[in-house]
Amino acid sequence: MKARTTTLIMTATLLALAGCGDAAGPAAEAGGDGPGGKADAVGNSGLRAALEGRDDVVARWLREVGNDKGEVPGTYRELLTGVAEQMGCDLITQRTFVILLTRADYFPRNIMTLCSDDPLKASQFFISTQSDFGDLVDIDPRDIKMYAWDNKARTYRLYELKGIDGQQEGMKLSIEPGECRTCHTGPADMNNALMPFTPIMNELVNPWTLWNAEPDFRSHQFEDTINDAIAEAPVYKEMTEAGIMDSASNFEKHIRAAMDRVTNARMLKRRDPASVPESMALLRPMFCDETLNYVSENHFTGETHASVAIDDAIRRLFLTIRPDNWPWDWLNDGRLRLSIPGPGEEPLAVMPVRGESTVQVEVALVKRRVLSANQALRVRALDWQRPVMSQFRCGLFKDAEARLLTSPPDLSAFKRNIDLIPYLYNEIMTLHTTDPVSGQPRTIPLAPTTEGAALIAVADAQEAEAAYALSSGDFKDYEVSVDAFGDALEAHFQSLQEPGQRPLLDAERIARGCVARLLHPASPRIPGADDCR
């Protein structure tokens, strides 16, 4: 094993696509039914019955080569060959992307794509290796998960292949394995029944801490960290030989294309007949973080992504209002520049930020004119110094959801979800409290009343004065214009770039990590958050 730096110890289990991280316990393993398939091995009904209604490249391949027991010949090699034919791509377009898993002694997880010169086409199909590690000394070529886009159903289909017990060749199929869906469909404290499966890449932006970033970028820690024995093992070397192993920067493009597929499919629901659960599922990402990403400082440069401090949705919403001529570094530059790490200081590593797929849904609601940019900014302005995992914002949604599902509105006034969503938005953005004097129920719309104000900008909803203002409805001191909100964001952003701010940001990293560990099954293991209560 090569030497590991202290920085490496600060990193976490950065997972992609398959595997639930360290939270994959009994709840994840219990499985469950997913859309369009049975969450276990193919049973007595036969393969064709189990695949009925599926129109993805894996299902087509399985129909050609599988037997009635759900058994297929060969290993990942035969799978790639067969699916390449289904996709109309040559095998030379295969690429492998590698991430190291700290929970498995830096064992590599290989993720493979086809048609890899075209990110949109490549995003139809992903392979991920290895769900069981044990004492393995090489990649198991018969232990693979697959994710394939079904164009008719507009969803990702999930499959798992494992070696057949007692046999040296062939693989046994499972459809919609439950542990996969657990990791990819939302936080543990919410009902995720209407949340579609979304491929994930926990570290979506440079420096991709435990990913191979070569040849496009210099790997952050990959070469210093990969287990030497595994790096020389025959199957691993075969999967990652020259010309096949690729940079995390290219995998980012494939994942973004996959997220686009899922977001566009979700947005089609806005035209469905009015339904409170479906409409609330579209509004949920505005208030509650369905997914997280993790960003790190770019080596020892002091530079990291601005989303550490300011939710990237805010930047995109401002650009929706006006595409240029904004005066702020947080918006125009998009990079937070900390002081260079001093003696004994480590670069900021694996900071939880709001997930890209979550941000995409919110911005898509605005771009498709379901809600306005100002309406979205009204949400983002509440508790804005907590760009991710705000209990206040998500609490608004949970409280409203409980009320609306118990006493739903009369839907006769709403033809489609696109008509219902603005009404539900206003319901969510209304506090339901008790008047402290009369003891009677009271509603407080979270909407500014001061002339010229567009937002109620509360930096910290847990701060005593802000909490009182919100509960009393007396928030005139917090009512601001969009420009004044941008100024406040810039002042906060610049303050974090002053010397001496690293301890504050590291404490914030641990605090966010504690919440992520509890709510998000695929979250990394962040040192300092292990003892969270």
Side-chain angles (χ1 to χ4, degrees), residues 137-348:
V137 294
D138 196 359
I139 298 288
D140 185 342
R142 297 192 298 163
D143 185 353
I144 48 184
K145 288 185 172 67
M146 301 159 288
Y147 312 88
W149 180 255
D150 187 323
N151 277 315
K152 290 184 179 178
R154 296 190 181 94
T155 189
Y156 274 98
R157 304 296 199 177
L158 282 59
Y159 305 89
E160 182 177 56
L161 291 170
K162 285 183 175 290
I164 302 171
D165 290 342
Q167 298 186 28
Q168 296 300 312
E169 296 183 358
M171 299 175 286
K172 180 73 172 179
L173 172 69
S174 294
I175 298 176
E176 299 294 334
E179 68 271 16
C180 300
R181 191 162 296 281
T182 301
C183 293
H184 292 251
T185 54
D189 65 335
M190 302 195 75
N191 182 351
N192 297 309
L194 296 179
M195 169 70 176
F197 178 95
T198 304
I200 58 175
M201 180 183 185
N202 272 352
E203 278 209 323
L204 196 60
V205 296
N206 193 353
W208 310 288
T209 302
L210 288 179
W211 288 84
N212 169 65
E214 305 287 346
D216 295 347
F217 292 84
R218 180 165 63 93
S219 292
H220 194 194
Q221 296 169 357
F222 184 85
E223 294 297 336
D224 293 334
T225 312
I226 186 169
N227 184 298
D228 287 332
I230 298 297
E232 296 301 318
V235 177
Y236 175 80
K237 289 183 70 175
E238 176 183 271
M239 288 181 173
T240 59
E241 66 183 32
I244 294 180
M245 191 174 187
D246 204 353
S247 169
S249 63
N250 287 325
F251 187 59
E252 176 188 337
K253 298 170 188 174
H254 298 171
I255 286 293
R256 289 185 184 276
M259 289 179 181
D260 287 343
R261 289 181 183 275
V262 175
T263 298
N264 290 336
R266 289 185 82 171
M267 286 300 106
L268 291 175
K269 296 288 186 182
R270 75 192 190 278
R271 301 195 178 279
D272 285 356
S275 159
V276 171
E278 282 191 359
S279 294
M280 290 295 282
L282 289 174
L283 281 165
R284 187 174 82 162
M286 295 186 71
F287 296 87
C288 303
D289 301 310
E290 293 179 334
T291 59
L292 302 178
N293 284 128
Y294 301 84
V295 302
S296 298
E297 190 173 330
N298 194 353
H299 304 275
F300 282 82
T301 63
E303 183 178 296
T304 189
H305 202 273
S307 59
V308 164
I310 297 174
D311 175 15
D312 200 54
I314 295 178
R315 181 185 65 84
R316 299 184 204 185
L317 291 168
F318 269 82
L319 293 175
T320 299
I321 294 171
R322 190 171 72 229
D324 53 22
N325 294 322
W326 295 106
W328 309 299
D329 286 348
W330 66 263
L331 189 152
N332 295 320
D333 186 13
R335 307 299 294 177
L336 181 66
R337 290 178 170 80
L338 308 175
S339 56
I340 301 298
E345 290 186 322
E346 296 292 338
L348 190 69

Side-chain angles (χ1 to χ4, degrees), residues 82-128:
V83 173
E85 292 177 0
Q86 297 293 335
M87 294 177 70
C89 297
D90 196 287
L91 265 179
I92 63 172
T93 65
Q94 180 213 332
R95 294 294 181 270
T96 300
F97 308 91
V98 187
I99 183 173
L100 303 180
L101 305 181
T102 58
R103 70 183 173 93
D105 195 25
Y106 307 97
F107 197 92
R109 167 163 286 140
N110 293 351
I111 300 153
M112 290 169 274
T113 60
L114 293 164
C115 311
S116 302
D117 52 346
D118 181 344
L120 179 59
K121 193 168 186 179
S123 68
Q124 293 180 68
F125 170 71
F126 299 94
I127 290 180
S128 176

Side-chain angles (χ1 to χ4, degrees), residues 378-420:
R378 280 174 56 196
V379 180
R380 302 268 64 80
L382 295 170
D383 207 20
W384 61 262
Q385 283 190 7
R386 290 186 179 83
V388 63
M389 296 182 288
S390 164
Q391 292 182 15
F392 180 78
R393 289 192 300 269
C394 194
L396 290 175
F397 178 88
K398 289 179 178 178
D399 290 347
E401 182 179 47
R403 294 194 307 270
L404 290 163
L405 293 180
T406 301
S407 302
D410 179 4
L411 295 184
S412 63
F414 309 100
K415 182 178 180 181
R416 298 175 299 173
N417 287 328
I418 196 172
D419 307 312
L420 178 60

Side-chain angles (χ1 to χ4, degrees), residues 55-67:
D55 187 32
D56 60 84
V57 292
V58 173
R60 293 175 208 154
W61 172 73
L62 287 168
R63 290 187 185 102
E64 290 186 359
V65 303
N67 63 24

